[in-house]
Amino acid sequence: MSSSTHSSSVEGRLRGDDGLVVLTYQPLDPAQIILSVQDDAAGAIAVFVGTTRNSFQGKFVTHLQYESYTKLALKTMADILRAARTTSDAVLHSVIYHRLGDVPVGQPSIVVAVSSPHRREAFVACEMILEEVKKKAQIWKREYYEGEGDELAQWKTNVH
Amino acid sequence: MSQSQTPSEPVSITVLYFAAASTATRLDSELVQLPVQTEPFRLSSLAGLLTDRHPNTSLGKVLQGSQWSVDAEMVDDPEQVVLRGGEEVAVICPVSGG
């Protein structure tokens, strides 16, 4: 199995005027997260669910592990929600949930949900938040491959 | 701001290693004493110091591709940051969240 938890990779949540960001070792529940951004003033909820894929360059992935520098990742993600709100006053509620620790293949690793009066702002904000999280949040993913020892598990990078 | 320190008083920082840096050093964190010297210790000097502490590992290579944070704030230019002791400095290798 994968190594023990990093001491700085703790659970955490940060709720501000701009939304809620959560880092958790618990499985993510997209349906519950959607409910949490509902608002009678919203005509649209846009959701992104990132799920863990079973392959990378022909190799079979058995599971993934996420760790974070929680103290900084929460601040970074809160800043992202603030920027999303600044870009569009129409965003009502926005949340980012990211899972930490071992995530089985096919399970959600991240859920971004945004509600707004009209659909365009929700789509735009949801995508922008996701792309910024992938670019900036201090979270790292490690992939474990079938038939390979744990020490060969690769820390991935999102940089392109 | 702060009064000058006695030159001979050693100070330490806490260095946090994540992801590839953590795998290279086999550590989550370590307390690192800054060298006793008259000129201020700049963050830009830290990579060399840490690489010397962990020879025969891939840490040096990881650090070349990494950024830094000091007390949970990302650093744009390590040359501009002076460490005085007590800071929490993290190696931020290229991220892969989401």
Side-chain angles (χ1 to χ4, degrees):
Chain A
M1 209 40 191
S2 33
S3 53
S4 58
T5 313
H6 192 293
S7 54
S8 296
S9 184
V10 294
E11 294 198 321
R13 53 201 290 139
L14 202 54
R15 179 184 285 285
D17 292 339
D18 303 302
L20 172 68
V21 300
V22 176
L23 290 167
T24 178
Y25 283 87
Q26 299 303 309
L28 302 184
D29 182 348
Q32 193 59 39
I33 294 165
I34 288 168
L35 281 179
S36 76
V37 298
Q38 259 185 3
D39 189 308
D40 287 351
I45 296 172
V47 182
F48 175 81
V49 179
T51 51
T52 55
R53 209 167 65 227
N54 67 355
S55 71
F56 175 72
Q57 293 184 349
K59 292 199 283 191
F60 192 80
V61 176
T62 55
H63 69 278
L64 295 93
Q65 181 193 5
Y66 286 91
E67 78 180 19
S68 69
Y69 182 15
T70 297
K71 181 189 306 188
L72 181 50
L74 287 176
K75 283 188 354 177
T76 299
M77 292 191 290
D79 287 345
I80 290 168
L81 291 189
R82 184 167 312 116
R85 180 172 290 273
T86 307
T87 311
S88 170
D89 295 332
V91 165
L92 286 168
H93 306 287
S94 53
V95 297
I96 305 167
Y97 279 70
H98 202 303
R99 190 161 167 194
L100 300 176
D102 291 314
V103 184
V105 162
Q107 300 267 312
S109 52
I110 183 171
V111 179
V112 177
V114 178
S115 59
S116 67
H118 304 288
R119 64 187 181 281
R120 164 123 65 102
E121 288 81 7
F123 275 128
V124 168
C126 189
E127 182 172 26
M128 175 258 186
I129 290 165
L130 172 72
E131 295 302 329
E132 287 287 284
V133 169
K134 288 178 88 72
K135 192 167 136 193
K136 294 180 178 161
Q138 289 81 3
I139 299 170
W140 296 271
K141 172 173 81 172
R142 192 175 195 189
E143 283 183 348
Y144 291 78
Y145 303 111
E146 187 182 57
E148 290 186 9
D150 281 2
E151 67 283 356
L152 292 177
Q154 299 270 354
W155 288 102
K156 309 301 306 235
T157 80
N158 286 341
V159 173
H160 292 295
Chain B
M1 211 204 65
S2 55
Q3 58 273 59
S4 55
Q5 281 169 221
T6 317
S8 58
E9 197 175 294
V11 291
S12 298
I13 58 170
T14 301
V15 176
L16 302 184
Y17 298 108
F18 293 95
S22 177
T23 301
T25 57
R26 299 175 187 270
L27 294 172
D28 283 357
S29 66
E30 62 176 340
L31 203 60
V32 173
Q33 195 170 304
L34 299 179
V36 175
Q37 56 186 47
T38 44
E39 68 272 17
F41 185 86
R42 296 182 184 276
L43 179 59
S44 48
S45 303
L46 187 58
L49 199 160
L50 296 180
T51 305
D52 288 345
R53 281 174 79 94
H54 300 278
N56 308 316
T57 70
S58 56
L59 181 64
K61 184 156 181 253
V62 171
L63 293 178
Q64 275 173 18
S66 298
Q67 292 185 285
W68 300 95
S69 69
V70 174
D71 291 337
E73 300 268 353
M74 292 301 291
V75 169
D76 286 329
D77 184 0
E79 185 60 32
Q80 303 294 327
V81 175
V82 168
L83 299 175
R84 302 184 197 283
E87 294 95 346
E88 179 173 284
V89 179
V91 177
I92 308 290
C93 28
V95 298
S96 47

